Amino acid sequence: MDYNLVSIIIPIYNVSQYISRCSSSLFMQTYCDLEFIFVNDCTPDNSIEILLNVINEFPDRKDQVRIINHEHNKGLAAARNTGLSFANGSYIFHCDSDDWIEPTAISEMVSKIVSDNAEIVYTNFYFSYANRDVLSIQQKTSNAEEFIKLMFKEEVHGAIWNKLYKKSLFIENDINFPNGNDMWEDLYTNFYLFYFSNKISYLNSSFYHYNQENISSLGREVNSKKLTSIFSNISQIESFLKKQKDARFTTELIYLKLAAKQTLLFTCDIKNFRKWLTIYPETNPYILSYKSLPLHLRLLGFLSTKKLWIFIRLWILVKKNLKPQ
């Protein structure tokens, strides 16, 4: 293993509009000692053709690129695991193929993780829209337990793409992404990575552009299958903590569960409000204190706990009438 090498893992599926910008930003990194592992998860479009054209524009990077092809579509978590299995570097960076990064990202993150002798370094990032970037400042901590608590309460982001990891964390603790559960697969994996880490570090810089324009992105629409993935990932985390007899995150798990089911409050369907009431019922008394959720949604959750459906139906009626025709 090359101890200066960074393996960048990029799953590819249906990103023909974005893969050129993403891959170009990776190939333009000021850091030289890189390998790029693109995992083709049987993309149905011409993303790979576009990628090959971009690779030809960066001849100095060509020998650093590997394209791994899945025989059939396996999903995001499995694609990330495939990338990990081929990674030769001592550090791992994940990039989603509809996003992009600033040129000095890897160089500065490597410098920080090495100088601090850390196993994980995390940074700020941008929510990137068509004509503007919105900076997301992450809370600073060097304590992994505190980071997990903040992550469960949605006070730091659970994504993997604004972080650089020592590969040994994955290997020595047998950590993989949850195959088949492609929603919150990053939060799930980050929980274990931070749980087993001995030292983490925060870099007060912003490099990653989290694309907000891709309406086909996995996280844009929440359906029952995606909710099932989220609930499965939470259940596995909870089971692990029970097995470890680790009660340090009991309160924060309440808020994680509230976060998991909060999208049911966004809808105009009374069935979803009733479903919200029955999923993780132990969390319902905490809804008003769940500050990550807008006040009106907290109130809707509170009304659901009291089964005051007449007010819920009134809200749904108003919301439907306010929708643009």
Side-chain angles (χ1 to χ4, degrees), residues 76-78 80-81 151-152 158 176-192 218 225-241 253 256-257 260 280:
L76 180 59
R80 297 198 198 281
N81 285 332
M151 181 173 68
F152 282 3
N176 287 291
F177 292 87
N179 280 334
N181 290 326
D182 294 326
M183 288 293 291
W184 287 22
E185 92 296 338
D186 44 4
L187 182 145
Y188 167 94
T189 308
N190 265 326
F191 163 72
Y192 290 100
L218 187 65
K225 181 179 178 181
K226 292 174 182 178
L227 283 174
T228 299
S229 287
I230 292 173
F231 298 150
S232 176
N233 287 331
I234 290 177
S235 294
Q236 290 185 61
I237 290 173
E238 188 171 28
S239 295
F240 170 82
L241 289 171
L253 268 172
L256 182 64
K257 291 174 179 178
Y280 299 135

Side-chain angles (χ1 to χ4, degrees), residues 118-131:
E119 292 173 304
I120 304 173
V121 61
Y122 71 101
T123 70
N124 307 320
F125 64 91
Y126 300 103
F127 289 101
S128 291
Y129 300 85
N131 299 309

